[in-house]
PDB file of all heavy atoms in Angstrom:
ATOM      1  N   ILE A  33      87.271 125.561  94.901  1.00 98.00           N
ATOM      2  CA  ILE A  33      87.510 126.564  95.992  1.00 98.00           C
ATOM      3  C   ILE A  33      88.612 125.919  96.859  1.00 98.00           C
ATOM      4  O   ILE A  33      88.455 124.877  97.389  1.00 98.00           O
ATOM      5  CB  ILE A  33      86.298 126.811  96.818  1.00 98.00           C
ATOM      6  CG1 ILE A  33      85.150 127.241  95.895  1.00 98.00           C
ATOM      7  CG2 ILE A  33      86.633 127.752  97.972  1.00 98.00           C
ATOM      8  CD1 ILE A  33      85.002 128.651  95.602  1.00 98.00           C
ATOM      9  N   ALA A  34      89.746 126.645  96.964  1.00 98.00           N
ATOM     10  CA  ALA A  34      90.935 126.011  97.649  1.00 98.00           C
ATOM     11  C   ALA A  34      90.758 125.778  99.107  1.00 98.00           C
ATOM     12  O   ALA A  34      91.439 124.954  99.721  1.00 98.00           O
ATOM     13  CB  ALA A  34      92.093 127.002  97.440  1.00 98.00           C
ATOM     14  N   SER A  35      89.768 126.380  99.752  1.00 98.00           N
ATOM     15  CA  SER A  35      89.570 126.194 101.166  1.00 98.00           C
ATOM     16  C   SER A  35      88.388 125.293 101.492  1.00 98.00           C
ATOM     17  O   SER A  35      88.164 125.030 102.646  1.00 98.00           O
ATOM     18  CB  SER A  35      89.188 127.694 101.732  1.00 98.00           C
ATOM     19  OG  SER A  35      88.237 128.258 101.059  1.00 98.00           O
ATOM     20  N   GLU A  36      87.839 124.661 100.482  1.00 98.00           N
ATOM     21  CA  GLU A  36      86.746 123.757 100.722  1.00 98.00           C
ATOM     22  C   GLU A  36      87.171 122.268 100.581  1.00 98.00           C
ATOM     23  O   GLU A  36      88.255 122.051 100.036  1.00 98.00           O
ATOM     24  CB  GLU A  36      85.512 124.032  99.808  1.00 98.00           C
ATOM     25  CG  GLU A  36      84.941 125.373 100.042  1.00 98.00           C
ATOM     26  CD  GLU A  36      83.675 125.697  99.222  1.00 98.00           C
ATOM     27  OE1 GLU A  36      83.372 124.924  98.311  1.00 98.00           O
ATOM     28  OE2 GLU A  36      83.100 126.879  99.360  1.00 98.00           O
ATOM     29  N   GLY A  99      88.859 129.364 112.418  1.00 98.00           N
ATOM     30  CA  GLY A  99      90.213 129.789 112.302  1.00 98.00           C
ATOM     31  C   GLY A  99      90.366 131.139 112.744  1.00 98.00           C
ATOM     32  O   GLY A  99      91.384 131.568 113.431  1.00 98.00           O
ATOM     33  N   SER A 100      89.408 132.044 112.353  1.00 97.00           N
ATOM     34  CA  SER A 100      89.519 133.418 112.827  1.00 97.00           C
ATOM     35  C   SER A 100      89.495 133.520 114.335  1.00 97.00           C
ATOM     36  O   SER A 100      90.299 134.326 114.912  1.00 97.00           O
ATOM     37  CB  SER A 100      88.319 134.244 112.262  1.00 97.00           C
ATOM     38  OG  SER A 100      88.530 134.434 110.929  1.00 97.00           O
ATOM     39  N   GLY A 126      97.526 137.045 102.200  1.00 93.00           N
ATOM     40  CA  GLY A 126      97.333 136.803 103.627  1.00 93.00           C
ATOM     41  C   GLY A 126      95.877 136.509 103.920  1.00 93.00           C
ATOM     42  O   GLY A 126      95.111 136.111 103.042  1.00 93.00           O
ATOM     43  N   HIS A 127      95.547 136.694 105.241  1.00 95.00           N
ATOM     44  CA  HIS A 127      94.136 136.410 105.628  1.00 95.00           C
ATOM     45  C   HIS A 127      93.578 137.584 106.405  1.00 95.00           C
ATOM     46  O   HIS A 127      94.267 138.283 107.171  1.00 95.00           O
ATOM     47  CB  HIS A 127      94.050 135.193 106.447  1.00 95.00           C
ATOM     48  CG  HIS A 127      92.609 134.754 106.723  1.00 95.00           C
ATOM     49  ND1 HIS A 127      92.014 134.919 107.923  1.00 95.00           N
ATOM     50  CD2 HIS A 127      91.724 134.095 105.905  1.00 95.00           C
ATOM     51  CE1 HIS A 127      90.784 134.432 107.882  1.00 95.00           C
ATOM     52  NE2 HIS A 127      90.570 134.011 106.596  1.00 95.00           N
ATOM     53  N   LEU A 128      92.288 137.809 106.219  1.00 93.00           N
ATOM     54  CA  LEU A 128      91.516 138.912 106.831  1.00 93.00           C
ATOM     55  C   LEU A 128      91.835 138.996 108.335  1.00 93.00           C
ATOM     56  O   LEU A 128      92.005 140.052 108.888  1.00 93.00           O
ATOM     57  CB  LEU A 128      90.013 138.483 106.681  1.00 93.00           C
ATOM     58  CG  LEU A 128      88.942 139.586 106.780  1.00 93.00           C
ATOM     59  CD1 LEU A 128      89.231 140.645 105.696  1.00 93.00           C
ATOM     60  CD2 LEU A 128      87.553 138.914 106.623  1.00 93.00           C
ATOM     61  N   SER A 129      91.849 137.870 109.026  1.00 95.00           N
ATOM     62  CA  SER A 129      92.004 137.854 110.470  1.00 95.00           C
ATOM     63  C   SER A 129      93.475 138.186 110.931  1.00 95.00           C
ATOM     64  O   SER A 129      93.725 138.180 112.136  1.00 95.00           O
ATOM     65  CB  SER A 129      91.605 136.520 111.052  1.00 95.00           C
ATOM     66  OG  SER A 129      92.485 135.437 110.566  1.00 95.00           O
ATOM     67  N   ALA A 176      99.102 131.804 105.009  1.00 97.00           N
ATOM     68  CA  ALA A 176      98.437 132.517 103.926  1.00 97.00           C
ATOM     69  C   ALA A 176      97.209 131.844 103.500  1.00 97.00           C
ATOM     70  O   ALA A 176      96.974 130.596 103.774  1.00 97.00           O
ATOM     71  CB  ALA A 176      99.407 132.627 102.735  1.00 97.00           C
ATOM     72  N   SER A 177      96.388 132.515 102.724  1.00 97.00           N
ATOM     73  CA  SER A 177      95.204 131.846 102.125  1.00 97.00           C
ATOM     74  C   SER A 177      95.236 131.819 100.627  1.00 97.00           C
ATOM     75  O   SER A 177      94.346 131.185  99.943  1.00 97.00           O
ATOM     76  CB  SER A 177      93.898 132.514 102.633  1.00 97.00           C
ATOM     77  OG  SER A 177      93.803 133.770 102.204  1.00 97.00           O
ATOM     78  N   ALA A 178      96.270 132.543 100.037  1.00 98.00           N
ATOM     79  CA  ALA A 178      96.406 132.468  98.619  1.00 98.00           C
ATOM     80  C   ALA A 178      97.859 132.589  98.268  1.00 98.00           C
ATOM     81  O   ALA A 178      98.269 133.492  97.575  1.00 98.00           O
ATOM     82  CB  ALA A 178      95.616 133.610  97.951  1.00 98.00           C
ATOM     83  N   ASP A 202      99.841 130.371 110.812  1.00 98.00           N
ATOM     84  CA  ASP A 202      98.481 129.946 110.574  1.00 98.00           C
ATOM     85  C   ASP A 202      98.522 129.035 109.417  1.00 98.00           C
ATOM     86  O   ASP A 202      98.796 129.417 108.282  1.00 98.00           O
ATOM     87  CB  ASP A 202      97.681 131.273 110.221  1.00 98.00           C
ATOM     88  CG  ASP A 202      96.252 130.918 109.819  1.00 98.00           C
ATOM     89  OD1 ASP A 202      95.933 129.824 109.662  1.00 98.00           O
ATOM     90  OD2 ASP A 202      95.422 131.917 109.808  1.00 98.00           O
ATOM     91  N   ALA A 204      96.095 126.996 108.327  1.00 98.00           N
ATOM     92  CA  ALA A 204      94.718 126.668 108.036  1.00 98.00           C
ATOM     93  C   ALA A 204      94.629 125.978 106.619  1.00 98.00           C
ATOM     94  O   ALA A 204      93.988 124.942 106.478  1.00 98.00           O
ATOM     95  CB  ALA A 204      93.714 127.852 108.076  1.00 98.00           C
ATOM     96  N   HIS A 205      95.348 126.542 105.643  1.00 98.00           N
ATOM     97  CA  HIS A 205      95.175 125.992 104.285  1.00 98.00           C
ATOM     98  C   HIS A 205      96.000 124.743 104.135  1.00 98.00           C
ATOM     99  O   HIS A 205      95.561 123.792 103.389  1.00 98.00           O
ATOM    100  CB  HIS A 205      95.627 127.089 103.234  1.00 98.00           C
ATOM    101  CG  HIS A 205      94.478 127.801 102.690  1.00 98.00           C
ATOM    102  ND1 HIS A 205      93.861 127.453 101.478  1.00 98.00           N
ATOM    103  CD2 HIS A 205      93.806 128.798 103.165  1.00 98.00           C
ATOM    104  CE1 HIS A 205      92.841 128.296 101.337  1.00 98.00           C
ATOM    105  NE2 HIS A 205      92.882 129.171 102.258  1.00 98.00           N
ATOM    106  N   THR A 228      92.354 125.776 110.726  1.00 98.00           N
ATOM    107  CA  THR A 228      90.982 125.290 110.656  1.00 98.00           C
ATOM    108  C   THR A 228      91.086 123.785 110.512  1.00 98.00           C
ATOM    109  O   THR A 228      92.117 123.229 110.163  1.00 98.00           O
ATOM    110  CB  THR A 228      90.270 125.930 109.506  1.00 98.00           C
ATOM    111  OG1 THR A 228      91.001 125.761 108.296  1.00 98.00           O
ATOM    112  CG2 THR A 228      89.964 127.400 109.628  1.00 98.00           C
ATOM    113  N   HIS A 230      88.795 122.107 108.478  1.00 98.00           N
ATOM    114  CA  HIS A 230      87.919 121.655 107.330  1.00 98.00           C
ATOM    115  C   HIS A 230      88.445 121.889 106.021  1.00 98.00           C
ATOM    116  O   HIS A 230      87.810 121.677 104.959  1.00 98.00           O
ATOM    117  CB  HIS A 230      86.555 122.385 107.530  1.00 98.00           C
ATOM    118  CG  HIS A 230      86.634 123.826 107.641  1.00 98.00           C
ATOM    119  ND1 HIS A 230      86.862 124.453 108.915  1.00 98.00           N
ATOM    120  CD2 HIS A 230      86.707 124.892 106.767  1.00 98.00           C
ATOM    121  CE1 HIS A 230      86.912 125.763 108.704  1.00 98.00           C
ATOM    122  NE2 HIS A 230      86.857 126.038 107.453  1.00 98.00           N
ATOM    123  N   LYS A 231      89.723 122.406 105.969  1.00 98.00           N
ATOM    124  CA  LYS A 231      90.320 122.573 104.532  1.00 98.00           C
ATOM    125  C   LYS A 231      91.051 121.346 104.119  1.00 98.00           C
ATOM    126  O   LYS A 231      90.337 120.330 103.937  1.00 98.00           O
ATOM    127  CB  LYS A 231      91.115 123.916 104.585  1.00 98.00           C
ATOM    128  CG  LYS A 231      90.335 125.137 104.952  1.00 98.00           C
ATOM    129  CD  LYS A 231      91.182 126.404 104.684  1.00 98.00           C
ATOM    130  CE  LYS A 231      90.363 127.663 105.009  1.00 98.00           C
ATOM    131  NZ  LYS A 231      90.360 128.057 106.458  1.00 98.00           N
ATOM    132  N   ARG A 237      83.797 121.797 110.076  1.00 97.00           N
ATOM    133  CA  ARG A 237      84.244 123.178 110.301  1.00 97.00           C
ATOM    134  C   ARG A 237      84.688 123.467 111.715  1.00 97.00           C
ATOM    135  O   ARG A 237      84.045 122.993 112.600  1.00 97.00           O
ATOM    136  CB  ARG A 237      83.032 124.128 109.888  1.00 97.00           C
ATOM    137  CG  ARG A 237      82.517 123.941 108.608  1.00 97.00           C
ATOM    138  CD  ARG A 237      81.653 125.154 108.069  1.00 97.00           C
ATOM    139  NE  ARG A 237      82.500 126.124 107.644  1.00 97.00           N
ATOM    140  CZ  ARG A 237      83.047 126.166 106.393  1.00 97.00           C
ATOM    141  NH1 ARG A 237      82.747 125.194 105.524  1.00 97.00           N
ATOM    142  NH2 ARG A 237      83.774 127.178 106.034  1.00 97.00           N
ATOM    143  N   LEU A 317      97.061 124.841  95.849  1.00 98.00           N
ATOM    144  CA  LEU A 317      96.342 125.858  95.171  1.00 98.00           C
ATOM    145  C   LEU A 317      97.267 126.729  94.359  1.00 98.00           C
ATOM    146  O   LEU A 317      98.544 126.580  94.363  1.00 98.00           O
ATOM    147  CB  LEU A 317      95.690 126.801  96.196  1.00 98.00           C
ATOM    148  CG  LEU A 317      96.487 127.604  97.183  1.00 98.00           C
ATOM    149  CD1 LEU A 317      97.213 128.842  96.582  1.00 98.00           C
ATOM    150  CD2 LEU A 317      95.611 128.063  98.321  1.00 98.00           C
ATOM    151  N   ASN A 344      86.946 130.956  93.072  1.00 98.00           N
ATOM    152  CA  ASN A 344      86.637 132.227  93.537  1.00 98.00           C
ATOM    153  C   ASN A 344      87.614 133.329  92.893  1.00 98.00           C
ATOM    154  O   ASN A 344      88.744 133.031  92.673  1.00 98.00           O
ATOM    155  CB  ASN A 344      86.717 132.350  95.075  1.00 98.00           C
ATOM    156  CG  ASN A 344      88.010 132.093  95.697  1.00 98.00           C
ATOM    157  OD1 ASN A 344      88.437 130.949  95.747  1.00 98.00           O
ATOM    158  ND2 ASN A 344      88.691 133.201  96.067  1.00 98.00           N
ATOM    159  N   ASN A 346      89.970 136.304  92.937  1.00 98.00           N
ATOM    160  CA  ASN A 346      91.002 136.552  93.992  1.00 98.00           C
ATOM    161  C   ASN A 346      91.955 137.621  93.526  1.00 98.00           C
ATOM    162  O   ASN A 346      92.354 137.629  92.302  1.00 98.00           O
ATOM    163  CB  ASN A 346      91.762 135.201  94.296  1.00 98.00           C
ATOM    164  CG  ASN A 346      92.178 135.161  95.684  1.00 98.00           C
ATOM    165  OD1 ASN A 346      91.598 134.466  96.540  1.00 98.00           O
ATOM    166  ND2 ASN A 346      93.280 135.848  96.069  1.00 98.00           N
ATOM    167  N   ARG A 362      91.392 132.061  92.215  1.00 98.00           N
ATOM    168  CA  ARG A 362      92.182 131.101  92.912  1.00 98.00           C
ATOM    169  C   ARG A 362      91.606 129.767  92.681  1.00 98.00           C
ATOM    170  O   ARG A 362      90.377 129.526  92.629  1.00 98.00           O
ATOM    171  CB  ARG A 362      92.023 131.476  94.366  1.00 98.00           C
ATOM    172  CG  ARG A 362      92.922 130.631  95.358  1.00 98.00           C
ATOM    173  CD  ARG A 362      92.716 131.002  96.840  1.00 98.00           C
ATOM    174  NE  ARG A 362      91.357 130.683  97.254  1.00 98.00           N
ATOM    175  CZ  ARG A 362      90.984 130.600  98.486  1.00 98.00           C
ATOM    176  NH1 ARG A 362      91.763 130.857  99.415  1.00 98.00           N
ATOM    177  NH2 ARG A 362      89.679 130.350  98.856  1.00 98.00           N
TER     178      ARG A 362
HETATM  179  N1  DSN B 501      87.902 132.043 103.630  1.00 91.60           N
HETATM  180  C1  DSN B 501      89.003 131.079 103.637  1.00 91.60           C
HETATM  181  C2  DSN B 501      89.487 130.963 102.298  1.00 91.60           C
HETATM  182  O1  DSN B 501      88.836 130.829 101.347  1.00 91.60           O
HETATM  183  O2  DSN B 501      90.798 130.931 102.177  1.00 91.60           O
HETATM  184  C3  DSN B 501      89.945 131.369 104.588  1.00 91.60           C
HETATM  185  O3  DSN B 501      89.403 131.478 105.886  1.00 91.60           O
END
Side-chain angles (χ1 to χ4, degrees):
I33 305 271
S35 48
E36 292 183 358
S100 284
H127 188 257
L128 203 61
S129 64
S177 62
D202 179 345
H205 265 265
T228 49
H230 51 272
K231 297 191 177 85
R237 301 197 83 81
L317 63 76
N344 66 284
N346 212 100
R362 185 183 65 164

